[in-house]
Amino acid sequence: MSQAQADGLRLRVEECWNVGLLSLDAQQAIVTIGFEMTPDARPIEGSIRLVDAEGGSAAGQQQAYRTGRQAIIECGSDGYGLPSALYDQWREVEITFNPARMSFR
Amino acid sequence: MMDLTRPSFVAGLLALAALALAPVAAPAQSGPLRIEVTEGVIAPVPYAIPDFVPENAAAAQYAGAIARVVANNLTGTGLLREIPRDAHVGRITSFDSPVQFSDWRAINAQALITGAARLDGQQLRVKFRLFDVVSGQQMGDGLQFDGTATNWRRMAHRVSDAIYTRLTGEGGYFDSRVVFVAESGPRENRRKQLAIMDQDGENVQYLTDGGTLVLAPRFSPRGERVLYTSYEGGTPRVVLMDLASRSRQLLADQPGTMTFAPRFAPNGQSVIFSLSVGGTTNLYALDLGSGQRVQLTNTAAIDTAPSFSPDGGRIVFESDRSGTSQLYVMPASGGQAQRISSGEGRYSTPVWSPRGDLIAFTKSQGGRFHIGVMRTDGSNERLLTSSFLDEGPTWAPNGRVIMFTREAAGGDPQIFSVDISGRNLRRVPSPGPASDPAWSPLLP
């Protein structure tokens, strides 16, 4: 899988990662969300899970997880357009959502 | 302009293309594909709120109106965007029927609010549910509020606060009021009345008759009393008003002095204010129980506009002791004051955030006025607004929104609000020209 293809997936998710509703607490949370995809590169909702979380309170991490989960589902509803020949390489994905570098206010 | 035909540019593009097509340099992948997302978007989240379901005929007049108040509150935050009702595919005809999420996904709603109202006599019951449409799940349990029909707007605000908290993880601010100075009449003979209204501009009531100039009202920590400055007899005096009885009391009334810029301590037991006598203006604290007065500053400068930190331990205030108006922080008992404003321009009317992390202020520089915020040590100053005249910030109970007075050149003053991100600048409805807003705590 090429770097460009991986970057394409990242950019698609970024377009749907709406951080406007994140509380100040949740803005401190870094969450890693794991999920599986179908061969046509759509996320399988039932497989989405929180893999790791750091920073913020438990409530903040939960809100950050919910926002990341929403981004994965929303932008993957039509498929992420990944090459099916490389399905083994992207069947399982882990995305770390790190808002630390964003300026909210 | 860039020359796209230059060989170096073309070569660069080719190199980039080659890099893009190259396999990831990492060794043969094992485990999941891992990526890091560090950039997102900030956009209003689309939501749907059909009219609440009237559970009996008497509730019909309230069911829809409550949903409209909730929608106005939530959309007014700038964080959410209501999907127009005529675009709805689904219909909510029963509060307890299962939600057909596909209907709401079809219109790209990410959140759905359903509710119902029932009126028995004067007793109104309002309940709601909040759904995450994307995941097809309810967010938290349903909630219900009981009250009287005359308080239906307050119930709508409480529903709004509960929804806001579930969506943002932060406290709400809708069930709150604003006390302000309502202005009327010609500019050269302006009538100024103390008035109070809901945070959305509804339910305006006048607290004074306009016979005396009034300024700078401030709520007590529980919202049941108001301090303000009154020019009765032509001299500024601090007045304490009980909102329920409208009874008034002059504070620190002493012949030959002027008192102004009052504010409550967080415990509500004392007030701080400025007292001018003999050409100097210093800060004082007054214990409301004992009447004992303590001088907090002692300079030849003008010290004014004091505001407590939420823990009551410190006071931020403005002073021209350095030659221009700047912001200072000192212990609540007085003592060494530390200047915290360091930029160019004049700083005034500082107000400590209810969260305790920020201080809002007015800044004038280069002929423009700004509302800004800074950390309590003066760092990370950010200007949120800019106009001919912006002044007098006041914090929402959750510390996320600021109201202030804006006046255009030659225009009338109006109340505006802005998110602390600097987004969502909005005019707050008022019955006419209005100034000096002060935001109450959440109502009990």
Side-chain angles (χ1 to χ4, degrees):
Chain A
M1 186 154 171
S2 72
Q3 184 67 55
Q5 289 160 339
D7 283 347
L9 173 60
R10 176 178 56 79
L11 292 170
R12 287 285 300 278
V13 175
E14 283 181 354
E15 289 173 5
C16 289
W17 188 34
N18 190 348
V19 296
L21 282 179
L22 286 183
S23 66
L24 298 180
D25 177 35
Q27 290 171 19
Q28 308 304 314
I30 300 172
V31 296
T32 299
I33 300 174
F35 60 99
E36 294 173 21
M37 288 209 268
T38 61
D40 60 351
R42 298 171 196 261
I44 300 171
E45 287 191 34
S47 72
I48 300 176
R49 68 206 180 278
L50 182 65
V51 174
D52 190 31
E54 58 181 281
S57 68
Q61 292 175 356
Q62 192 57 36
Q63 197 200 14
Y65 166 65
R66 201 169 60 233
T67 304
R69 182 181 192 279
Q70 199 143 341
I72 291 167
I73 295 172
E74 186 184 350
C75 271
S77 59
D78 293 328
Y80 281 111
L82 296 169
S84 56
L86 302 176
Y87 181 48
D88 283 349
Q89 295 184 32
W90 49 260
R91 182 169 57 193
E92 292 181 53
V93 181
E94 285 184 7
I95 301 179
T96 297
F97 291 89
N98 183 354
R101 283 182 238 162
M102 290 190 65
S103 176
F104 291 90
R105 53 180 187 146
Chain B
M1 179 179 289
M2 183 177 290
D3 179 3
L4 299 182
T5 62
R6 284 190 308 174
S8 59
F9 181 79
V10 174
L13 276 183
L14 290 173
L16 278 175
L19 182 65
L21 294 171
V24 174
Q29 182 180 311
S30 64
L33 171 65
R34 293 185 173 89
I35 63 174
E36 183 180 27
V37 170
T38 59
E39 297 291 335
V41 297
I42 297 178
V45 172
Y47 74 102
I49 178 168
D51 281 349
F52 285 8
V53 178
E55 294 194 326
N56 59 2
Q61 64 175 311
Y62 297 104
I66 289 171
R68 289 301 88 212
V69 171
V70 174
N72 287 338
N73 283 335
L74 296 177
T75 303
T77 65
L79 302 174
L80 295 147
R81 173 175 61 81
E82 186 191 9
I83 296 172
R85 285 174 291 171
D86 58 10
H88 293 185
V89 175
R91 292 285 178 267
I92 303 294
T93 55
S94 166
F95 183 65
D96 293 319
S97 295
V99 168
Q100 301 300 315
F101 288 105
S102 57
D103 289 345
W104 304 100
R105 289 192 190 107
I107 58 171
N108 293 321
Q110 292 187 13
L112 169 68
I113 300 160
T114 66
R118 179 179 183 83
L119 183 68
D120 294 305
Q122 278 303 301
Q123 291 302 305
L124 182 63
R125 170 167 290 179
V126 180
K127 50 190 178 182
F128 80 91
R129 290 193 175 108
L130 173 63
F131 298 92
D132 178 343
V133 174
V134 176
S135 66
Q137 294 177 335
Q138 186 171 331
M139 296 176 68
D141 295 330
L143 276 182
Q144 72 178 32
F145 298 95
D146 292 315
T148 59
T150 53
N151 272 339
W152 69 271
R153 291 190 68 90
R154 271 206 68 191
M155 297 171 76
H157 292 318
R158 293 179 70 190
V159 169
S160 306
D161 280 327
I163 293 168
Y164 179 90
T165 296
R166 288 186 183 183
L167 289 171
T168 67
E170 306 199 50
Y173 58 86
F174 303 113
D175 189 21
S176 62
R177 295 193 288 180
V178 177
V179 61
F180 64 102
V181 175
E183 304 187 15
S184 57
R187 283 179 152 278
E188 61 277 10
N189 187 23
R190 189 54 66 94
R191 178 185 176 95
K192 295 194 175 189
Q193 289 175 269
L194 213 58
I196 192 169
M197 63 184 182
D198 296 348
Q199 53 77 30
D200 58 358
E202 296 289 334
N203 288 327
V204 176
Q205 298 171 45
Y206 294 94
L207 304 175
T208 62
D209 61 9
T212 301
L213 179 66
V214 292
L215 294 174
R218 309 287 183 231
F219 274 106
S220 62
R222 289 191 299 170
E224 83 284 21
R225 292 175 293 171
V226 168
L227 287 167
Y228 63 98
T229 302
S230 171
Y231 278 73
E232 295 174 37
T235 304
R237 293 264 187 269
V238 173
V239 176
L240 174 64
M241 174 184 281
D242 179 85
L243 288 174
S245 66
R246 304 283 165 86
S247 63
R248 302 163 58 259
Q249 177 188 355
L250 285 175
L251 296 183
D253 189 28
Q254 181 181 327
T257 67
M258 295 185 291
T259 57
F260 53 94
R263 201 177 286 270
F264 279 95
N267 64 9
Q269 303 299 309
S270 63
V271 300
I272 47 177
F273 56 95
S274 289
L275 186 149
S276 281
V277 60
T280 64
T281 300
N282 283 293
L283 300 180
Y284 288 74
L286 175 72
D287 185 284
L288 291 173
S290 66
Q292 183 182 5
R293 195 174 70 190
V294 177
Q295 186 170 354
L296 301 178
T297 64
N298 186 9
T299 71
I302 296 174
D303 294 342
T304 189
S307 171
F308 274 100
S309 61
D311 65 3
R314 289 178 291 171
I315 293 170
V316 61
F317 63 100
E318 68 174 77
S319 174
D320 63 355
R321 59 185 66 182
S322 69
T324 62
S325 181
Q326 299 292 333
L327 306 185
Y328 295 80
V329 170
M330 70 176 179
S333 56
Q336 185 68 36
Q338 181 78 35
R339 177 173 162 177
I340 61 167
S341 55
S342 55
E344 294 181 359
R346 296 168 181 268
Y347 295 79
S348 58
T349 65
V351 193
W352 218 297
S353 155
R355 295 175 194 262
D357 58 341
L358 295 172
I359 290 170
F361 56 85
T362 302
K363 180 174 184 175
S364 63
Q365 182 183 9
R368 301 284 288 176
F369 280 77
H370 311 270
I371 300 298
V373 293
M374 61 173 63
R375 291 184 180 147
T376 59
D377 62 0
S379 65
N380 201 27
E381 175 182 318
R382 292 183 294 115
L383 299 181
L384 308 179
T385 72
S386 177
S387 87
F388 173 76
L389 179 58
D390 285 349
E391 63 178 356
T394 179
W395 290 93
N398 71 350
R400 186 147 178 169
V401 182
I402 291 172
M403 273 188 198
F404 59 97
T405 304
R406 166 165 287 188
E407 190 172 331
D412 285 324
Q414 302 287 352
I415 298 175
F416 276 72
S417 68
V418 66
D419 189 273
I420 59 167
S421 64
R423 291 184 288 270
N424 201 35
L425 178 70
R426 302 167 63 89
R427 191 176 86 76
V428 178
S430 60
S435 58
D436 281 4
W439 212 319
S440 81
L442 280 180
L443 299 176

